[in-house]
Amino acid sequence: MMSSMEYLFNYLTSLDWGYIITFILISHLVNQTKITSWFYKVTNIKIRTRYRVLFIGLGYGILVYLLRGYDISKIECLFQSFVFAMVFHKLVVERLFAVLKLNPIQQTGYDDYSEE
């Protein structure tokens, strides 16, 4: 009988960590104030941060799937990695950046709803 720690360890080792880390970095980069305000100026469309991250994750997941030549069995792994990355980014990485003050808030005319 497997213990809870063994299940957790097996789950964590089955995730696609390359996808998770690069997805978090890309999402953090795209959600910078300069990029969001540029996107608003070009398209005149405001997209909430959570939806930007969702679109980035789905698009990047499809790109990883195609570039790595995965088969159908890897879709579940990528989806689990996507969900884990979203939760991990929201609960851990954003708080860490706030504590380290690596994400300065700049006042612009653009409201990206990032504080919801």
Side-chain angles (χ1 to χ4, degrees):
M1 180 176 245
M2 291 180 69
S3 69
S4 298
M5 292 304 290
E6 289 177 52
Y7 280 118
L8 180 63
F9 181 73
N10 287 339
Y11 172 72
L12 291 176
T13 56
S14 71
L15 295 174
D16 187 345
W17 286 96
Y19 169 80
I20 291 171
I21 292 169
T22 53
F23 168 55
I24 290 173
L25 291 174
I26 291 169
S27 295
H28 189 69
L29 175 71
V30 169
N31 286 318
Q32 295 296 317
T33 306
K34 289 181 182 179
I35 294 175
T36 55
S37 61
W38 173 82
F39 181 78
Y40 177 70
K41 287 178 187 176
V42 171
T43 63
N44 205 22
I45 298 172
K46 293 182 183 181
I47 301 174
R48 293 183 182 215
T49 303
R50 66 183 74 149
Y51 298 123
R52 280 194 304 265
V53 171
L54 176 71
F55 295 143
I56 292 165
L58 291 175
Y60 184 57
I62 292 169
L63 184 68
V64 165
Y65 177 81
L66 295 173
L67 288 178
R68 291 185 184 170
Y70 283 164
D71 57 356
I72 296 294
S73 64
K74 284 293 199 171
I75 290 176
E76 182 181 2
C77 175
L78 277 174
F79 182 71
Q80 287 178 355
S81 299
F82 169 68
V83 172
F84 182 85
M86 298 242 331
V87 171
F88 183 76
H89 180 263
K90 189 66 175 173
L91 294 179
V92 177
V93 176
E94 282 187 2
R95 299 297 173 227
L96 179 66
F97 284 159
V99 168
L100 297 175
K101 300 192 187 309
L102 293 176
N103 194 14
I105 298 172
Q106 298 175 2
Q107 296 297 327
T108 63
Y110 175 75
D111 182 15
D112 68 344
Y113 304 102
S114 61
E115 293 300 320
E116 289 186 1

